[in-house]
Amino acid sequence: MLDRVWPLHGIRLATADLDLRVMTEADLPEVCDVLPPDLELNPHATTYAGLDVPANRRAVVGQGYWRALGMWSPDDWALPFTVRRAGRIIGGQWLEGPDYRADRTVDSSSWLVREARGQGYGRQMRAAVLELAFGHLGARAAISSAVLDNAASLGVSYRLGYSDTHTSVLEHSGERLQHVRLERAAWRRAGHGRDVSVEGVEAALPLFGPLAGEEGP
């Protein structure tokens, strides 16, 4: 019934193997239980000296969820999805629209439990949110980034048609990031969204601003 209060919770994405739904508070315990140990959380997030590392990880995840939906704006939004296979959470996928009404460009980030990696799920997850963005929210482009030695993440981007744009250096670690970009026309030509099912978007469109659902120039 959450979608009656907050229509974002009515959005459902499905691929050949996966079911993506907007995260709820009820999902948080299971999400925290399956977080992979190599997941790099936001280095700028608040942590607490009185909590051990696992507790701080749970706090960062919870605060990220509450901040995303509690501070929602058509100009700057972040939409967190749980990713399930056969009913079990195996990962998380975020779609973000920083300064969305100005440039209609989306960003994304994701994670998978270790045993679910290397099976094509990362590509399916990303394809699902890209089809939502390009096919229903009127996005013009999508960007992403990954450290240069993260071959899995960059491989997903390249298989879905992203192109390199530039590199940068992470301030907190000194690692070099590769930035990539995908235009709507390239997404349409490639047809990667054909096998994605998108439901429940219509009621949520007003939360993305008056241009949501329109392709524009």
Side-chain angles (χ1 to χ4, degrees):
M1 303 296 287
L2 277 174
D3 57 309
R4 295 178 58 189
V5 179
W6 199 228
L8 295 170
H9 286 291
I11 299 175
R12 178 179 177 180
L13 314 177
T15 70
D17 300 298
L18 307 174
D19 182 66
L20 286 76
R21 302 195 188 194
V22 176
M23 191 181 296
T24 70
E25 286 194 23
D27 295 323
L28 287 175
E30 185 177 356
V31 168
C32 289
D33 284 346
V34 300
L35 287 176
D38 59 347
L39 174 63
E40 183 176 345
L41 299 175
N42 181 0
H44 304 294
T46 301
T47 54
Y48 304 92
L51 297 180
D52 59 19
V53 172
N56 265 308
R57 286 166 61 83
R58 293 192 292 270
V60 169
V61 169
Q63 287 182 98
Y65 162 79
W66 287 309
R67 184 177 294 111
L69 298 189
M71 299 182 67
W72 186 276
S73 163
D75 294 302
D76 186 1
W77 49 264
L79 191 57
F81 287 91
T82 56
V83 180
R84 288 182 170 85
R85 172 160 169 75
R88 185 174 68 89
I89 293 178
I90 62 166
Q93 175 72 59
W94 287 64
L95 181 69
E96 302 177 26
D99 206 17
Y100 189 65
R101 288 199 292 181
D103 61 20
R104 292 168 74 177
T105 296
V106 295
D107 198 351
S108 62
S109 61
S110 65
W111 57 269
L112 278 168
V113 298
R114 282 179 169 170
E115 60 268 29
R117 298 174 189 176
Q119 301 179 58
Y121 299 149
R123 184 192 59 78
Q124 290 187 44
M125 292 158 55
R126 182 96 63 90
V129 294
L130 289 176
E131 182 59 21
L132 171 64
F134 288 128
H136 299 268
L137 302 181
R140 296 190 187 114
I143 58 174
S144 187
S145 61
V147 295
L148 289 176
D149 62 357
N150 189 343
S153 178
L154 289 173
V156 166
S157 294
Y158 296 143
R159 284 192 292 274
L160 290 173
Y162 289 76
S163 299
D164 291 339
T165 56
H166 63 286
T167 61
S168 66
V169 176
L170 284 170
E171 182 178 332
H172 68 280
S173 67
E175 293 177 291
R176 186 167 293 276
L177 278 180
Q178 177 65 60
H179 297 262
V180 294
R181 182 180 178 92
L182 173 64
E183 303 293 337
R184 181 173 60 208
W187 172 256
R188 291 277 175 79
R189 285 195 302 270
H192 293 300
R194 284 192 300 260
D195 298 325
V196 177
S197 169
V198 180
E199 299 177 1
V201 179
E202 192 67 30
L205 286 179
L207 300 179
F208 293 90
L211 294 178
E214 301 178 9
E215 291 199 353

PDB file of all heavy atoms in Angstrom, residues 15-28:
ATOM      1  N   THR A  15      13.397  -8.187 -15.540  1.00  0.00           N
ATOM      2  CA  THR A  15      14.204  -8.686 -16.654  1.00  0.00           C
ATOM      3  C   THR A  15      14.001 -10.194 -16.733  1.00  0.00           C
ATOM      4  O   THR A  15      13.175 -10.765 -16.014  1.00  0.00           O
ATOM      5  CB  THR A  15      15.685  -8.353 -16.453  1.00  0.00           C
ATOM      6  OG1 THR A  15      16.205  -9.160 -15.372  1.00  0.00           O
ATOM      7  CG2 THR A  15      15.887  -6.878 -16.114  1.00  0.00           C
ATOM      8  N   ALA A  16      14.765 -10.841 -17.568  1.00  0.00           N
ATOM      9  CA  ALA A  16      14.624 -12.285 -17.714  1.00  0.00           C
ATOM     10  C   ALA A  16      14.803 -13.024 -16.392  1.00  0.00           C
ATOM     11  O   ALA A  16      14.136 -14.032 -16.137  1.00  0.00           O
ATOM     12  CB  ALA A  16      15.634 -12.801 -18.736  1.00  0.00           C
ATOM     13  N   ASP A  17      15.695 -12.526 -15.536  1.00  0.00           N
ATOM     14  CA  ASP A  17      16.018 -13.240 -14.294  1.00  0.00           C
ATOM     15  C   ASP A  17      15.722 -12.464 -13.025  1.00  0.00           C
ATOM     16  O   ASP A  17      15.720 -13.057 -11.938  1.00  0.00           O
ATOM     17  CB  ASP A  17      17.512 -13.601 -14.278  1.00  0.00           C
ATOM     18  CG  ASP A  17      17.906 -14.501 -15.437  1.00  0.00           C
ATOM     19  OD1 ASP A  17      17.378 -15.617 -15.506  1.00  0.00           O
ATOM     20  OD2 ASP A  17      18.720 -14.066 -16.269  1.00  0.00           O
ATOM     21  N   LEU A  18      15.500 -11.161 -13.135  1.00  0.00           N
ATOM     22  CA  LEU A  18      15.504 -10.316 -11.950  1.00  0.00           C
ATOM     23  C   LEU A  18      14.226  -9.504 -11.795  1.00  0.00           C
ATOM     24  O   LEU A  18      13.546  -9.179 -12.766  1.00  0.00           O
ATOM     25  CB  LEU A  18      16.695  -9.353 -12.004  1.00  0.00           C
ATOM     26  CG  LEU A  18      18.070  -9.981 -12.236  1.00  0.00           C
ATOM     27  CD1 LEU A  18      19.116  -8.886 -12.400  1.00  0.00           C
ATOM     28  CD2 LEU A  18      18.437 -10.921 -11.087  1.00  0.00           C
ATOM     29  N   ASP A  19      13.952  -9.163 -10.547  1.00  0.00           N
ATOM     30  CA  ASP A  19      12.827  -8.301 -10.190  1.00  0.00           C
ATOM     31  C   ASP A  19      13.387  -7.131  -9.395  1.00  0.00           C
ATOM     32  O   ASP A  19      14.061  -7.328  -8.376  1.00  0.00           O
ATOM     33  CB  ASP A  19      11.819  -9.080  -9.346  1.00  0.00           C
ATOM     34  CG  ASP A  19      10.610  -8.255  -8.975  1.00  0.00           C
ATOM     35  OD1 ASP A  19       9.836  -7.890  -9.873  1.00  0.00           O
ATOM     36  OD2 ASP A  19      10.432  -7.967  -7.772  1.00  0.00           O
ATOM     37  N   LEU A  20      13.146  -5.905  -9.866  1.00  0.00           N
ATOM     38  CA  LEU A  20      13.640  -4.699  -9.197  1.00  0.00           C
ATOM     39  C   LEU A  20      12.456  -3.895  -8.689  1.00  0.00           C
ATOM     40  O   LEU A  20      11.540  -3.571  -9.457  1.00  0.00           O
ATOM     41  CB  LEU A  20      14.464  -3.825 -10.140  1.00  0.00           C
ATOM     42  CG  LEU A  20      15.881  -4.295 -10.496  1.00  0.00           C
ATOM     43  CD1 LEU A  20      15.840  -5.438 -11.506  1.00  0.00           C
ATOM     44  CD2 LEU A  20      16.702  -3.123 -11.053  1.00  0.00           C
ATOM     45  N   ARG A  21      12.470  -3.567  -7.403  1.00  0.00           N
ATOM     46  CA  ARG A  21      11.437  -2.734  -6.810  1.00  0.00           C
ATOM     47  C   ARG A  21      12.101  -1.662  -5.956  1.00  0.00           C
ATOM     48  O   ARG A  21      13.180  -1.870  -5.403  1.00  0.00           O
ATOM     49  CB  ARG A  21      10.477  -3.563  -5.964  1.00  0.00           C
ATOM     50  CG  ARG A  21       9.792  -4.668  -6.755  1.00  0.00           C
ATOM     51  CD  ARG A  21       8.610  -5.224  -6.031  1.00  0.00           C
ATOM     52  NE  ARG A  21       8.073  -6.401  -6.724  1.00  0.00           N
ATOM     53  CZ  ARG A  21       6.886  -6.931  -6.464  1.00  0.00           C
ATOM     54  NH1 ARG A  21       6.129  -6.398  -5.523  1.00  0.00           N
ATOM     55  NH2 ARG A  21       6.460  -8.000  -7.129  1.00  0.00           N
ATOM     56  N   VAL A  22      11.436  -0.521  -5.840  1.00  0.00           N
ATOM     57  CA  VAL A  22      11.985   0.569  -5.044  1.00  0.00           C
ATOM     58  C   VAL A  22      12.097   0.110  -3.594  1.00  0.00           C
ATOM     59  O   VAL A  22      11.156  -0.446  -3.022  1.00  0.00           O
ATOM     60  CB  VAL A  22      11.111   1.821  -5.168  1.00  0.00           C
ATOM     61  CG1 VAL A  22      11.639   2.937  -4.257  1.00  0.00           C
ATOM     62  CG2 VAL A  22      11.085   2.303  -6.622  1.00  0.00           C
ATOM     63  N   MET A  23      13.257   0.329  -3.021  1.00  0.00           N
ATOM     64  CA  MET A  23      13.542  -0.123  -1.664  1.00  0.00           C
ATOM     65  C   MET A  23      12.565   0.474  -0.654  1.00  0.00           C
ATOM     66  O   MET A  23      12.140   1.619  -0.793  1.00  0.00           O
ATOM     67  CB  MET A  23      14.979   0.265  -1.287  1.00  0.00           C
ATOM     68  CG  MET A  23      15.502  -0.368  -0.013  1.00  0.00           C
ATOM     69  SD  MET A  23      17.205   0.177   0.363  1.00  0.00           S
ATOM     70  CE  MET A  23      18.095  -0.505  -1.044  1.00  0.00           C
ATOM     71  N   THR A  24      12.213  -0.316   0.351  1.00  0.00           N
ATOM     72  CA  THR A  24      11.382   0.147   1.459  1.00  0.00           C
ATOM     73  C   THR A  24      12.137  -0.050   2.766  1.00  0.00           C
ATOM     74  O   THR A  24      13.149  -0.759   2.824  1.00  0.00           O
ATOM     75  CB  THR A  24      10.059  -0.623   1.527  1.00  0.00           C
ATOM     76  OG1 THR A  24      10.332  -1.974   1.935  1.00  0.00           O
ATOM     77  CG2 THR A  24       9.341  -0.619   0.184  1.00  0.00           C
ATOM     78  N   GLU A  25      11.630   0.535   3.846  1.00  0.00           N
ATOM     79  CA  GLU A  25      12.257   0.328   5.149  1.00  0.00           C
ATOM     80  C   GLU A  25      12.256  -1.150   5.522  1.00  0.00           C
ATOM     81  O   GLU A  25      13.194  -1.637   6.155  1.00  0.00           O
ATOM     82  CB  GLU A  25      11.530   1.143   6.221  1.00  0.00           C
ATOM     83  CG  GLU A  25      11.806   2.622   6.154  1.00  0.00           C
ATOM     84  CD  GLU A  25      11.364   3.350   7.412  1.00  0.00           C
ATOM     85  OE1 GLU A  25      11.256   2.702   8.477  1.00  0.00           O
ATOM     86  OE2 GLU A  25      11.143   4.563   7.338  1.00  0.00           O
ATOM     87  N   ALA A  26      11.196  -1.859   5.134  1.00  0.00           N
ATOM     88  CA  ALA A  26      11.113  -3.278   5.468  1.00  0.00           C
ATOM     89  C   ALA A  26      12.218  -4.088   4.802  1.00  0.00           C
ATOM     90  O   ALA A  26      12.571  -5.171   5.277  1.00  0.00           O
ATOM     91  CB  ALA A  26       9.748  -3.826   5.063  1.00  0.00           C
ATOM     92  N   ASP A  27      12.776  -3.567   3.708  1.00  0.00           N
ATOM     93  CA  ASP A  27      13.869  -4.267   3.023  1.00  0.00           C
ATOM     94  C   ASP A  27      15.213  -4.092   3.717  1.00  0.00           C
ATOM     95  O   ASP A  27      16.141  -4.888   3.482  1.00  0.00           O
ATOM     96  CB  ASP A  27      14.025  -3.745   1.583  1.00  0.00           C
ATOM     97  CG  ASP A  27      12.832  -4.043   0.701  1.00  0.00           C
ATOM     98  OD1 ASP A  27      12.250  -5.130   0.852  1.00  0.00           O
ATOM     99  OD2 ASP A  27      12.492  -3.188  -0.141  1.00  0.00           O
ATOM    100  N   LEU A  28      15.355  -3.048   4.509  1.00  0.00           N
ATOM    101  CA  LEU A  28      16.684  -2.684   5.013  1.00  0.00           C
ATOM    102  C   LEU A  28      17.383  -3.791   5.796  1.00  0.00           C
ATOM    103  O   LEU A  28      18.586  -4.007   5.606  1.00  0.00           O
ATOM    104  CB  LEU A  28      16.593  -1.408   5.858  1.00  0.00           C
ATOM    105  CG  LEU A  28      16.362  -0.112   5.079  1.00  0.00           C
ATOM    106  CD1 LEU A  28      16.169   1.057   6.037  1.00  0.00           C
ATOM    107  CD2 LEU A  28      17.528   0.166   4.131  1.00  0.00           C
TER     108      LEU A  28
END
